[in-house]
Short mmCIF file of all heavy atoms in Angstrom, two decimals:
data_model
loop_
_atom_site.label_atom_id
_atom_site.label_comp_id
_atom_site.label_asym_id
_atom_site.label_seq_id
_atom_site.Cartn_x
_atom_site.Cartn_y
_atom_site.Cartn_z
N ILE A 283 2.96 12.96 5.91
CA ILE A 283 4.07 13.32 6.81
C ILE A 283 4.44 12.10 7.68
O ILE A 283 3.63 11.63 8.48
CB ILE A 283 3.63 14.48 7.75
CG1 ILE A 283 3.23 15.73 6.96
CG2 ILE A 283 4.72 14.77 8.79
CD1 ILE A 283 4.36 16.53 6.41
N PHE A 284 5.65 11.64 7.52
CA PHE A 284 6.17 10.63 8.43
C PHE A 284 6.96 11.34 9.52
O PHE A 284 7.76 12.23 9.22
CB PHE A 284 7.10 9.66 7.70
CG PHE A 284 6.38 8.70 6.80
CD1 PHE A 284 6.28 8.95 5.44
CD2 PHE A 284 5.79 7.55 7.32
CE1 PHE A 284 5.61 8.06 4.61
CE2 PHE A 284 5.12 6.66 6.49
CZ PHE A 284 5.03 6.92 5.13
N GLY A 285 6.74 10.93 10.76
CA GLY A 285 7.42 11.62 11.85
C GLY A 285 7.84 10.68 12.95
O GLY A 285 7.61 9.46 12.91
N VAL A 286 8.47 11.30 13.95
CA VAL A 286 8.86 10.57 15.14
C VAL A 286 8.70 11.54 16.30
O VAL A 286 8.86 12.75 16.13
CB VAL A 286 10.29 10.00 14.98
CG1 VAL A 286 11.35 11.09 14.96
CG2 VAL A 286 10.62 8.95 16.03
N ALA A 287 8.34 11.01 17.49
CA ALA A 287 7.97 11.90 18.59
C ALA A 287 8.76 11.62 19.87
O ALA A 287 9.22 10.49 20.10
CB ALA A 287 6.47 11.73 18.89
N ILE A 340 17.68 11.58 13.69
CA ILE A 340 16.38 11.92 13.08
C ILE A 340 16.56 12.11 11.58
O ILE A 340 15.76 11.64 10.77
CB ILE A 340 15.79 13.19 13.74
CG1 ILE A 340 15.51 12.95 15.23
CG2 ILE A 340 14.54 13.66 13.02
CD1 ILE A 340 15.19 14.21 16.02
N GLY A 344 15.19 9.81 8.27
CA GLY A 344 14.55 10.31 7.04
C GLY A 344 13.13 10.82 7.23
O GLY A 344 12.41 11.02 6.25
N VAL A 345 12.73 11.05 8.49
CA VAL A 345 11.36 11.54 8.71
C VAL A 345 11.20 12.95 8.16
O VAL A 345 12.16 13.71 8.04
CB VAL A 345 10.98 11.55 10.22
CG1 VAL A 345 10.73 10.14 10.73
CG2 VAL A 345 12.02 12.27 11.06
N ASP A 346 9.95 13.30 7.87
CA ASP A 346 9.64 14.65 7.40
C ASP A 346 9.55 15.60 8.57
O ASP A 346 9.78 16.79 8.44
CB ASP A 346 8.27 14.66 6.70
CG ASP A 346 8.23 13.66 5.56
OD1 ASP A 346 8.97 13.87 4.59
OD2 ASP A 346 7.50 12.65 5.66
N SER A 347 9.12 15.06 9.74
CA SER A 347 8.81 15.95 10.86
C SER A 347 9.19 15.32 12.19
O SER A 347 9.14 14.09 12.35
CB SER A 347 7.30 16.23 10.84
OG SER A 347 6.91 17.01 11.94
N TYR A 348 9.59 16.16 13.13
CA TYR A 348 9.93 15.71 14.48
C TYR A 348 9.00 16.40 15.47
O TYR A 348 8.85 17.61 15.45
CB TYR A 348 11.39 16.07 14.77
CG TYR A 348 11.84 15.79 16.19
CD1 TYR A 348 11.61 14.56 16.80
CD2 TYR A 348 12.50 16.77 16.94
CE1 TYR A 348 12.03 14.31 18.11
CE2 TYR A 348 12.93 16.52 18.25
CZ TYR A 348 12.68 15.29 18.82
OH TYR A 348 13.09 15.05 20.11
N ARG A 349 8.37 15.61 16.33
CA ARG A 349 7.48 16.16 17.36
C ARG A 349 8.21 16.17 18.69
O ARG A 349 8.66 15.12 19.18
CB ARG A 349 6.21 15.31 17.47
CG ARG A 349 5.31 15.75 18.60
CD ARG A 349 4.02 14.92 18.72
NE ARG A 349 3.29 15.38 19.89
CZ ARG A 349 2.69 14.60 20.78
NH1 ARG A 349 2.68 13.30 20.62
NH2 ARG A 349 2.09 15.12 21.82
N LEU A 379 17.21 21.67 13.45
CA LEU A 379 16.30 20.77 12.73
C LEU A 379 15.90 21.37 11.38
O LEU A 379 15.92 20.69 10.35
CB LEU A 379 15.05 20.51 13.57
CG LEU A 379 15.23 19.54 14.75
CD1 LEU A 379 14.17 19.78 15.82
CD2 LEU A 379 15.17 18.08 14.29
N GLY A 383 16.31 20.49 7.16
CA GLY A 383 15.11 20.25 6.34
C GLY A 383 14.03 19.43 7.04
O GLY A 383 13.20 18.81 6.39
N ILE A 384 14.06 19.43 8.38
CA ILE A 384 13.06 18.66 9.12
C ILE A 384 11.99 19.60 9.67
O ILE A 384 12.32 20.61 10.30
CB ILE A 384 13.74 17.87 10.26
CG1 ILE A 384 14.78 16.90 9.67
CG2 ILE A 384 12.72 17.13 11.12
CD1 ILE A 384 15.83 16.45 10.65
N LYS A 385 10.74 19.27 9.43
CA LYS A 385 9.64 20.07 9.97
C LYS A 385 9.54 19.83 11.47
O LYS A 385 9.93 18.76 11.95
CB LYS A 385 8.32 19.65 9.33
CG LYS A 385 8.18 20.01 7.88
CD LYS A 385 6.74 19.68 7.48
CE LYS A 385 6.32 20.06 6.10
NZ LYS A 385 7.24 20.24 5.05
N VAL A 386 8.97 20.79 12.18
CA VAL A 386 8.92 20.67 13.63
C VAL A 386 7.49 20.82 14.15
O VAL A 386 6.80 21.80 13.82
CB VAL A 386 9.86 21.71 14.29
CG1 VAL A 386 9.78 21.61 15.80
CG2 VAL A 386 11.30 21.49 13.82
N ALA A 387 7.06 19.85 14.95
CA ALA A 387 5.76 19.90 15.63
C ALA A 387 6.06 20.06 17.11
O ALA A 387 6.81 19.28 17.68
CB ALA A 387 4.98 18.62 15.38
N ASP A 430 6.25 24.34 12.58
CA ASP A 430 5.27 24.06 11.52
C ASP A 430 3.90 23.74 12.09
O ASP A 430 2.88 24.00 11.46
CB ASP A 430 5.75 22.86 10.69
CG ASP A 430 7.06 23.18 10.01
OD1 ASP A 430 7.03 23.83 8.95
OD2 ASP A 430 8.14 22.86 10.56
N LEU A 431 3.90 23.17 13.28
CA LEU A 431 2.63 22.68 13.82
C LEU A 431 2.68 22.80 15.35
O LEU A 431 3.67 22.39 15.97
CB LEU A 431 2.55 21.20 13.42
CG LEU A 431 1.27 20.46 13.60
CD1 LEU A 431 0.87 19.90 12.24
CD2 LEU A 431 1.49 19.29 14.53
N TYR A 621 -3.76 13.91 12.43
CA TYR A 621 -2.39 13.40 12.56
C TYR A 621 -2.41 12.31 13.62
O TYR A 621 -2.97 12.53 14.71
CB TYR A 621 -1.42 14.48 13.06
CG TYR A 621 -1.04 15.50 12.03
CD1 TYR A 621 -1.73 16.71 11.93
CD2 TYR A 621 0.04 15.29 11.18
CE1 TYR A 621 -1.37 17.67 10.99
CE2 TYR A 621 0.41 16.24 10.23
CZ TYR A 621 -0.30 17.43 10.14
OH TYR A 621 0.06 18.37 9.22
N TYR A 667 1.84 10.61 10.48
CA TYR A 667 2.00 9.54 11.48
C TYR A 667 3.34 9.75 12.17
O TYR A 667 4.38 9.82 11.51
CB TYR A 667 1.99 8.19 10.76
CG TYR A 667 2.37 7.00 11.62
CD1 TYR A 667 1.39 6.24 12.26
CD2 TYR A 667 3.72 6.63 11.79
CE1 TYR A 667 1.75 5.13 13.04
CE2 TYR A 667 4.07 5.53 12.58
CZ TYR A 667 3.08 4.79 13.20
OH TYR A 667 3.42 3.70 13.96
N TYR A 668 3.30 9.88 13.50
CA TYR A 668 4.53 10.03 14.29
C TYR A 668 4.73 8.77 15.11
O TYR A 668 3.88 8.41 15.93
CB TYR A 668 4.42 11.22 15.25
CG TYR A 668 4.42 12.57 14.54
CD1 TYR A 668 3.26 13.07 13.97
CD2 TYR A 668 5.59 13.33 14.46
CE1 TYR A 668 3.26 14.31 13.32
CE2 TYR A 668 5.59 14.56 13.82
CZ TYR A 668 4.43 15.05 13.25
OH TYR A 668 4.44 16.27 12.61
N TYR A 707 11.70 1.31 9.54
CA TYR A 707 10.90 2.54 9.39
C TYR A 707 11.54 3.43 8.32
O TYR A 707 10.85 4.00 7.47
CB TYR A 707 10.79 3.26 10.74
CG TYR A 707 9.78 4.40 10.77
CD1 TYR A 707 8.61 4.38 10.01
CD2 TYR A 707 9.99 5.52 11.58
CE1 TYR A 707 7.68 5.42 10.05
CE2 TYR A 707 9.08 6.57 11.64
CZ TYR A 707 7.93 6.52 10.87
OH TYR A 707 7.02 7.55 10.92
#
Side-chain angles (χ1 to χ4, degrees):
I283 301 283
F284 286 98
V286 68
I340 297 168
V345 286
D346 304 294
S347 176
Y348 174 50
R349 175 179 176 223
L379 285 156
I384 299 159
K385 291 188 175 23
V386 178
D430 298 278
L431 191 124
Y621 284 95
Y667 170 94
Y668 290 81
Y707 191 32

